[in-house]
Amino acid sequence: MIEVVDLRKRYRKATAVDGLTFMVRDGCISGFLGPNGAGKTTTLRILLGLVHPTSGRATIDGHRYRALERPLGRVGAVLEASNYHPKRSGRNHLRALAAAGEIQPARIDELLDFVGLGRAGRRAVGGYSLGMRQRLSVAGALLGDPQILLLDEPANGLDPEGIRWLRDFLRGFAGEGKTVFISSHVLGEMQQLVDEVVIIHHGRLVAHETVGELTARAAGGTRLRSPQAARLREALEREGIDARGEGDRLVTAAPSERVGEVAAANGIVLHELAADTASLEEAFLELTAGGGIE
Amino acid sequence: MSALLRSELLKVRTVRTFLWLALASVALVVIASISVSASTGAIGSASDDRSVAQIAAIALIFSLIGGIIVMAGEVTHGTVTQTLLATPVRERIVLAKAVVAALIAIGFALVAELLVLAITVPGASLDFHNARLVFLGILIAAPLAAVLGVGLGGVVKSQGSGIAVSLVWLLIGEHIVLLISESASKYSPGRAFAALASGERSGHVLLGMSAGGLASVVWAVAFVSFGLLVFLRRDV
């Protein structure tokens, strides 16, 4: 379980994280969203013990990262793609990491094949594309066969095939009951992938709910179709509900439950009654007042 | 700890930086030794023996640079993030890097001393007996210089700035201290290490070998402690 409690990080001139509190349950894929400079990367780095918080705590299974025994076996992290010595081969990079984590060397070739770098593994990382570096980062994150994956913009630099590969991999990983906490700006992908989202803005939490709840709340209206649309519109208006539309179709801002009750009370046949949902992107932009997406 | 040492040694072995450092050290030692042999012919005194043996002290500069690169190179290339993810206890990382840098430095010093002996014993009749304390001092000073370099590498944010700072200090800073106070300059890092590598039990310009050794240990411990403190507090 990932737990962040009243977390603050203040730099000299700016506050990156400002009293952030949330919890990510085990076995869940959670998205971590926010505009540029919202504090996502800082929060992830505090979780991983790379950045020191000003106050508050960020723990994994109740422990600070520094206190985890065999951390690579508990948490895998994919951060920026440029963290490699350009003259060292991908395979040697993983060898050094595996040695420090006391991980069997046999796992290295297994993972290089898994991420599609089997042959490129012996080449210097300086010659890798951004996508190849991201794949190497994923291999590094999986070295210890972790239960939790933290990913910071993992789709950066990946081509469409790479994004698809990443999505399939993350689904498979989560399918084993493991936890994924992912920050990404590819909101369409996130909507398909994640169970819930944590949205922050100016270092503060603005939403933490399931994608379904968030998108429904963001739209909040109802679409309906009825052969008795004119009668239904009159019935709704009597209840103070404004509806508009043409032919047999109507749209209203009222929730679907209320519209359904009015139709039933008046014996009106409905052919369609659907809560009008927004996309994750629309919900995100509404919550963050149109701020750019990091 | 042995796993972390293996990891750090692997990092050193899997890039050519340290090979180039070793080759540069070897080249300078060979050129200096051949020059001395060609110009001196035969060494006439024990003091000259010690002076010639001090050619091997060239390895100290490369040991210092090696220590800086072992520590600050990870910040320069951003690999420190991965290192910290695998080993979040930062004190252990600094300790492992200090040990690895010291081992590399001992290697540099040994190679330099063997080359000086191989060239100047036949070329300039170097008397090993007279030079033995110089060689011992260099073997002790090299790992200390490397540990000092690790400390400096923990303070700076790139290996380039660390190397530049150390060279500017050795070339300019030491002389400024000497101009300000001759007695205090004996304890400056460069002159303390020079005293340790001098092979002289007592000296006028420099401290004696033992006092120089003690001052060198103090400098190495001070630098690595300060480097550790900065590294512990640093956001990566």
Side-chain angles (χ1 to χ4, degrees):
Chain A
M1 184 175 66
I2 296 167
E3 195 174 14
V4 170
V5 180
D6 199 20
L7 193 67
R8 285 170 211 277
K9 177 62 183 180
R10 198 181 305 275
Y11 292 104
R12 248 175 236 170
K13 289 181 181 171
T15 300
V17 182
D18 191 7
L20 187 61
T21 298
F22 66 86
M23 192 176 78
V24 174
R25 288 172 290 117
D26 283 340
C28 187
I29 307 185
S30 301
F32 193 30
L33 311 180
N36 284 335
K40 304 189 302 293
T41 297
T42 303
T43 304
L44 288 175
R45 287 186 168 263
I46 291 173
L47 263 168
L48 293 166
L50 301 171
V51 169
H52 302 287
T54 306
S55 65
R57 67 172 197 273
T59 58
I60 293 163
D61 296 336
H63 302 285
R64 286 195 305 150
Y65 188 84
R66 180 188 158 97
L68 290 176
E69 263 187 58
R70 290 192 71 247
L72 294 184
R74 187 67 200 139
V75 184
V78 177
L79 301 173
E80 296 98 339
S82 57
N83 293 337
Y84 298 101
H85 192 298
K87 301 290 184 191
R88 188 177 285 131
S89 73
R91 189 171 184 279
N92 280 335
H93 169 80
L94 293 182
R95 282 176 69 205
L97 206 56
E102 298 183 66
I103 293 158
Q104 290 301 315
R107 181 133 176 88
I108 294 165
D109 291 322
E110 185 187 311
L111 281 170
L112 283 172
D113 286 337
F114 175 69
V115 300
L117 293 176
R119 294 176 70 182
R122 291 181 189 274
R123 279 171 29 207
V125 178
Y128 283 18
S129 67
L130 194 53
M132 290 166 80
R133 289 176 185 223
Q134 284 295 63
R135 287 170 185 260
L136 184 60
S137 293
V138 172
L142 295 176
L143 261 182
D145 192 19
Q147 295 298 305
I148 297 171
L149 261 188
L150 299 181
L151 305 103
D152 192 10
E153 305 287 0
N156 271 358
L158 290 180
D159 55 18
E161 187 198 345
I163 290 175
R164 184 175 174 178
W165 171 84
L166 182 69
R167 181 179 60 217
D168 293 344
F169 156 68
L170 290 176
R171 280 191 179 139
F173 185 85
E176 295 170 22
K178 297 177 178 178
T179 307
V180 178
F181 190 45
I182 176 174
S183 119
S184 173
H185 64 269
V186 189
L187 296 183
E189 281 292 326
M190 292 286 267
Q191 185 161 6
Q192 301 297 316
L193 185 69
V194 303
D195 302 314
E196 61 175 27
V197 286
V198 174
I199 300 180
I200 64 171
H201 193 27
H202 296 310
R204 297 187 189 125
L205 185 74
V206 293
H208 183 190
E209 51 199 325
T210 65
V211 174
E213 287 168 347
L214 183 72
T215 52
R217 184 163 65 84
T222 304
R223 281 181 290 112
L224 49 96
R225 195 158 58 86
S226 167
Q228 300 162 288
R231 259 191 74 200
L232 178 57
R233 182 189 286 196
E234 287 168 14
L236 289 169
E237 281 172 359
R238 280 198 298 276
E239 297 293 327
I241 298 170
D242 195 26
R244 57 195 162 76
E246 288 180 358
D248 63 347
R249 294 176 187 277
L250 290 176
V251 178
T252 171
S256 56
E257 295 86 348
R258 181 81 184 105
V259 175
E261 284 163 10
V262 172
N266 289 276
I268 295 171
V269 174
L270 291 178
H271 287 172
E272 184 183 336
L273 176 70
D276 194 14
T277 57
S279 68
L280 180 59
E281 184 171 319
E282 287 164 337
F284 172 83
L285 291 173
E286 187 180 310
L287 282 166
T288 57
I293 302 164
E294 190 178 324
Chain B
M1 194 63 197
S2 63
L4 191 52
L5 282 176
R6 266 204 316 279
S7 172
E8 292 300 327
L9 281 169
L10 241 170
K11 287 177 194 169
V12 169
R13 277 175 32 221
T14 52
V15 290
R16 291 188 181 160
T17 311
F18 296 91
L19 180 64
W20 288 118
L21 271 185
L23 287 176
S25 176
V26 163
L28 288 176
V29 168
V30 167
I31 290 167
S33 299
I34 290 174
S35 300
V36 165
S37 298
S39 62
T40 311
I43 298 168
S45 67
S47 171
D48 288 345
D49 278 323
R50 286 194 288 274
S51 295
V52 169
Q54 281 165 10
I55 291 171
I58 286 170
L60 298 187
I61 302 287
F62 290 93
S63 299
L64 174 70
I65 293 173
I68 293 169
I69 292 175
V70 164
M71 188 69 199
E74 290 239 59
V75 180
T76 299
H77 297 295
T79 51
V80 68
T81 305
Q82 300 276 325
T83 299
L84 285 170
L85 290 177
T87 312
V89 181
R90 299 185 183 196
E91 296 89 333
R92 293 183 63 210
I93 293 174
V94 174
L95 180 60
K97 286 186 180 297
V99 170
V100 166
L103 289 174
I104 294 168
I106 290 170
F108 283 1
L110 273 174
V111 169
E113 290 179 354
L114 289 172
L115 282 170
V116 169
L117 283 169
I119 296 168
T120 59
V121 168
S125 306
L126 176 77
D127 185 341
F128 177 76
H129 182 76
N130 290 336
R132 67 189 192 287
L133 281 180
V134 175
F135 289 133
L136 176 67
I138 291 170
L139 267 183
I140 296 169
L144 288 174
V147 169
L148 191 153
V150 168
L152 182 57
V155 177
V156 296
K157 287 189 173 174
S158 77
Q159 60 188 36
S161 59
I163 293 167
V165 164
S166 61
L167 292 181
V168 166
W169 174 260
L170 289 173
L171 296 172
I172 300 171
E174 291 277 342
H175 297 286
I176 293 173
V177 176
L178 180 63
L179 286 174
I180 294 168
S181 166
E182 194 175 332
S183 55
S185 74
K186 289 182 179 178
Y187 298 92
S188 67
R191 292 165 80 81
F193 275 88
L196 174 56
S198 68
E200 304 279 358
R201 292 184 198 279
S202 62
H204 299 295
V205 182
L206 298 173
L207 294 170
M209 200 178 158
S210 305
L214 189 62
S216 301
V217 169
V218 169
W219 279 116
V221 170
F223 265 85
V224 83
S225 302
F226 186 58
L228 173 64
L229 276 178
V230 173
F231 187 55
L232 283 175
R233 295 167 63 90
R234 177 168 288 165
D235 289 335
V236 176

